[in-house]
Amino acid sequence: MELSYTQKRWSLADLYPSHDGAEMKAALDELETRVAAFEGHREQLSTQIPVSQFMRVVQELEAINHLLQRVYGFAGLKFYADTQDQVAQTFLAQVEQLYADLQNRVLFFSLWWKNLDDEPAQRLMVEAGDYRYWLEEMRHFKPHTLTEPEEKIINIKNVTGAAALNTLYDSITNRYTFKIEVDGDVKELTRDELMIYVRQADADLRARAYRALYEVYGKEAPILGQIYQTLVRDWRNEQINLRHFANPIAARNLRNDIPNQVIDTLLEVCEQNAALFQRFFRLKARWLGVDRLRRYDIYAPVTKSEKTYAYGEAVGMVLDSFHRFDTRIANLARQVFENEHIDSEVRKGKRGGAFCWSVVPRLTPWVLVNYQGRAEDAAALAHELGHAIHASLAGHHTLFTYHSSLPLAETASTFGEMLLVDRLLVEENDDQVRRDLLFKRMDDSYATIMRQAYFAIFERQAHEQVKQGASVDDLSVAYLENLNQQFGDALEISDEFRWEWVAIPHIYETPFYVYAYAFGQLLVLALYQQYKAEGERFKPRYLQILSAGGSDAPARILANAGIDIFLREFWQGGFDVLESMLAQLETIPVSRSE
Ligand SMILES: [Zn+2]
């Protein structure tokens, strides 16, 4: 099939013809009928339930979710195509309500399953085929679960305890405004509006933006820091004293289903590679024409090339770089275009950025991009098509084991991006384009790998220090020390950055969440390094990882493909890829002409 690639809207016809037609009405009726029938299974759930009956219940739950995902997918995609459309807004709100209501009505199944004793659970799991890991994962917290009355008390007290403190943190910080002088005018801005200035060319403006931010957070640190200390103590009281996790980070590791030792190794390898990004920041200083970068400058733009790629050309390049890797994955990407599942136009009211939505197994995912012709837009296209390939390869799984878990979710997307970037780096002889691509890669890798790893390292230390009775000032001293270790003498760090930790919502709301970013990105770079080293031999193993979807624990999926995430050498491989990108960047003559 010959395709001409033009920027246009997607078609949602593979889901439903419209939000108010007979097909949608039938789907909503069917959902109600099925959920009502499912509620009737409640009495059958017992320790003695026969496997065949249990499997029928599981499959019925899957059928309900399958239908629900189709309806929800349609509503969400319709809304994102035009967020200003009131009909789409209203329909999405209705479907979200329905979603929550129906999930509550079927909740009894997972509650029963998590409470079931090990012996009957084992008996059912061994027969559950592809549903096994989904069932297993739900039960991971059983050894750390307390009695029902205790769990109820924790839930009740959490509402006015940790959860209330987090809400309070949000309420307090969302009220903040920041004063900054821009072009002679003093502006009063929200944090998001303020942070735009740290990425601008004006060096003094960048510094003013950070100072404005930490002037407020520094002044408020006694209160915010107290909230943090309390949440950290609460985490210890609950996760260690009551639930008997070995240490504070172990409770998060189990949620990600990653062994503790792997995360220890990952963070150690990150620390050992701190010098790599220090070298990058020294290079960036040369491009910006300064002796040493200040912490204010790390997101400063380096001059940009004007080169653009027509949409058809970009699609051709992406598909071709996939094709050179493997015909099958190129064909899966092509299906997104053939099925008209991509919305690539730039339109008023359309959601910004880019995403891939894999609705249900065996249905080609939908991709949204806002293509504007820059090399990074082509990279975004490769990224989202990578997600679509991942989902399509995993399409043989159940709905419950189809989506890969968080640590593996960015594998095919980042890998796809690397395939395109590598090709452009080899074939593009315009130094400016190569420079832009490499800077973008290094900037992104810094923000997702090193920065997040050092946050997690700080969290580990902060949890220990709070246990020893550390004050807010003690934590700030520890944070400055953390920055010094991360940046060495490559950056000049002014004193107000001691308050940076106070301003990171993740470490309050979801302790240790941040390392998942570093894990995912470094994993893909390490896989890419293996591909470069092994070529053809690597492909079947890579395709096996993608095909596994979310059907097993991340460490087991990778081990089955011959990858040992317990080894530090594996993680080092990821940094080796970054090192080679940096080395390429260092060969480009520094120029400062616009
Ligand atoms: Zn992604």
Side-chain angles (χ1 to χ4, degrees):
M1 183 166 156
E2 194 49 43
L3 288 164
S4 61
Y5 299 107
T6 50
Q7 282 178 269
K8 55 182 181 187
R9 257 176 203 264
W10 53 35
S11 160
L12 302 181
D14 285 341
L15 290 169
Y16 298 99
S18 71
H19 75 284
D20 54 0
E23 294 82 355
M24 183 61 80
K25 169 118 193 14
L28 296 175
D29 289 347
E30 188 187 339
L31 262 176
E32 176 53 41
T33 313
R34 280 183 182 269
V35 171
F38 189 82
E39 289 174 304
H41 294 319
R42 196 187 277 263
E43 284 73 42
Q44 297 163 9
L45 299 178
S46 73
T47 317
Q48 290 83 30
I49 186 172
V51 170
S52 56
Q53 199 172 16
F54 174 73
M55 290 308 289
R56 275 198 301 278
V57 174
V58 166
Q59 279 158 3
E60 190 46 44
L61 185 63
E62 185 186 20
I64 289 167
N65 277 285
H66 194 275
L67 200 49
L68 195 53
Q69 290 303 333
R70 287 182 62 102
V71 171
Y72 180 52
F74 178 87
L77 291 165
K78 182 178 166 63
F79 172 71
Y80 285 137
D82 186 358
T83 61
Q84 303 304 301
D85 177 0
Q86 299 217 8
V87 174
Q89 279 171 12
T90 313
F91 185 63
L92 178 60
Q94 283 169 346
V95 171
E96 279 172 343
Q97 184 64 53
L98 177 76
Y99 197 106
D101 292 346
L102 295 187
Q103 292 297 358
N104 270 338
R105 285 169 65 190
V106 301
L107 190 64
F108 66 88
F109 174 81
S110 60
L111 293 177
W112 167 76
W113 174 251
K114 285 182 213 174
N115 269 316
L116 192 62
D117 287 338
D118 283 344
E119 208 178 312
Q122 273 304 328
R123 174 178 66 83
L124 297 168
M125 265 194 293
V126 289
E127 302 286 336
D130 197 50
Y131 297 99
R132 183 195 51 79
Y133 179 64
W134 170 67
L135 292 166
E136 180 193 305
E137 218 249 328
M138 274 196 272
R139 292 175 56 82
H140 275 171
F141 281 83
K142 198 170 166 60
H144 302 283
T145 302
L146 308 174
T147 63
E148 199 179 329
E150 288 170 327
E151 289 291 343
K152 276 186 180 158
I153 293 169
I154 290 180
N155 279 340
I156 290 169
K157 300 302 280 181
N158 258 352
V159 175
T160 47
L165 280 173
N166 271 307
T167 311
L168 201 57
Y169 176 82
D170 286 342
S171 306
I172 293 172
T173 54
N174 286 336
R175 289 171 61 194
Y176 293 164
T177 54
F178 307 89
K179 284 203 179 110
I180 183 170
E181 196 194 307
V182 184
D183 299 330
D185 294 330
V186 176
K187 296 188 174 197
E188 199 169 334
L189 304 172
T190 65
R191 183 173 177 176
D192 282 351
E193 289 168 332
L194 180 73
M195 283 297 102
I196 290 169
Y197 294 110
V198 309
R199 293 175 185 275
Q200 304 231 325
D202 181 342
D204 195 50
L205 187 56
R206 291 197 297 267
R208 287 206 300 280
Y210 276 118
R211 283 191 204 115
L213 180 73
Y214 292 124
E215 191 187 311
V216 174
Y217 275 96
K219 206 172 73 209
E220 296 278 290
I223 299 292
L224 300 179
Q226 204 180 335
I227 293 179
Y228 182 70
Q229 288 170 313
T230 311
L231 287 167
V232 165
R233 280 192 213 106
D234 181 72
W235 186 262
R236 178 168 292 274
N237 288 339
E238 180 178 334
Q239 308 300 341
I240 297 191
N241 301 347
L242 296 175
R243 299 191 189 279
H244 304 299
F245 280 99
N247 52 60
I249 201 170
R252 175 68 49 210
N253 295 345
L254 188 66
R255 280 179 179 78
N256 291 332
D257 201 5
I258 304 278
N260 294 331
Q261 198 195 329
V262 170
I263 298 306
D264 290 345
T265 305
L266 168 77
L267 295 178
E268 267 170 47
V269 173
C270 286
E271 277 181 298
Q272 282 158 2
N273 284 275
L276 179 73
F277 282 99
Q278 293 169 14
R279 199 173 119 197
F280 171 65
F281 291 127
R282 285 196 195 95
L283 177 70
K284 194 161 184 175
R286 301 222 309 274
W287 278 94
L288 293 172
V290 295
D291 289 338
R292 187 156 80 129
L293 228 51
R294 306 164 303 167
R295 171 62 186 78
Y296 305 130
D297 305 319
I298 65 171
Y299 300 117
V302 171
T303 54
K304 285 239 182 285
S305 77
E306 303 291 315
K307 171 134 185 181
T308 58
Y309 303 87
Y311 180 65
E313 189 189 351
V315 175
M317 285 187 322
V318 171
L319 292 179
D320 188 58
S321 59
F322 287 178
H323 184 81
R324 289 182 199 187
F325 177 75
D326 186 80
T327 317
R328 191 166 154 217
I329 71 157
N331 288 338
L332 291 172
R334 201 168 280 121
Q335 250 166 35
V336 175
F337 296 92
E338 284 174 8
N339 297 347
E340 296 186 49
H341 283 198
I342 181 162
D343 191 325
S344 51
E345 279 183 332
V346 179
R347 285 191 309 275
K348 196 158 168 268
K350 176 181 161 180
R351 182 195 184 275
F355 68 74
C356 171
W357 191 326
S358 34
V359 180
V360 289
R362 287 174 294 283
L363 183 58
T364 303
W366 274 263
V367 166
L368 178 143
V369 289
N370 284 274
Y371 188 81
Q372 298 180 71
R374 298 160 304 178
E376 56 192 85
D377 292 319
L381 190 62
H383 181 104
E384 300 311 331
L385 289 170
H387 279 303
I389 291 162
H390 197 164
S392 300
L393 282 171
H396 57 286
H397 290 292
T398 74
L399 182 65
F400 299 136
T401 49
Y402 166 54
H403 290 112
S404 55
S405 60
L406 180 69
L408 294 180
E410 294 298 331
T411 309
S413 55
T414 311
F415 200 90
E417 221 178 312
M418 292 292 298
L419 288 173
L420 175 75
V421 168
D422 240 14
R423 179 203 156 136
L424 286 173
L425 289 175
V426 171
E427 295 180 4
E428 182 62 73
N429 37 34
D430 183 340
D431 264 355
Q432 294 196 21
V433 175
R434 299 178 63 240
R435 177 205 61 204
D436 285 4
L437 284 166
L438 288 165
F439 263 113
K440 174 89 169 68
R441 246 18 60 190
M442 291 302 293
D443 277 342
D444 288 356
S445 300
Y446 169 70
T448 43
I449 297 172
M450 209 48 113
R451 180 170 161 81
Q452 308 299 333
Y454 270 88
F455 284 159
I457 291 166
F458 170 72
E459 283 188 271
R460 215 165 44 183
Q461 190 183 352
H463 279 252
E464 185 54 35
Q465 283 194 317
V466 168
K467 180 186 157 200
Q468 315 285 351
S471 68
V472 174
D473 280 338
D474 294 336
L475 293 176
S476 295
V477 171
Y479 190 74
L480 263 188
E481 182 48 35
N482 172 290
L483 290 180
N484 283 323
Q485 279 172 20
Q486 185 186 169
F487 296 122
D489 61 1
L491 287 193
E492 183 189 325
I493 301 155
S494 31
D495 196 57
E496 67 267 31
F497 283 94
R498 68 169 62 234
W499 302 121
E500 186 176 18
W501 63 279
V502 176
I504 306 163
H506 266 323
I507 71 171
Y508 293 73
E509 279 158 25
T510 323
F512 304 103
Y513 178 83
V514 290
Y515 77 67
Y517 295 115
F519 183 103
Q521 288 295 308
L522 213 50
L523 170 75
V524 187
L525 291 173
L527 290 175
Y528 200 76
Q529 198 266 343
Q530 297 204 342
Y531 165 53
K532 300 291 269 187
E534 297 172 25
E536 284 297 319
R537 275 196 300 130
F538 170 79
K539 285 184 199 172
R541 292 161 46 212
Y542 176 68
L543 294 175
Q544 190 188 337
I545 294 168
L546 299 190
S547 307
S551 62
D552 210 338
R556 283 202 299 252
I557 289 178
L558 293 162
N560 289 340
I563 286 152
D564 186 353
I565 58 174
F566 288 86
L567 290 181
R568 72 180 51 243
E569 293 76 24
F570 174 73
W571 297 105
Q572 185 56 45
F575 281 105
D576 293 347
V577 174
L578 293 172
E579 203 280 334
S580 90
M581 287 200 283
L582 178 56
Q584 286 188 67
L585 199 48
E586 285 167 336
T587 63
I588 299 173
V590 175
S591 65
R592 301 210 60 248
S593 55
E594 292 280 329

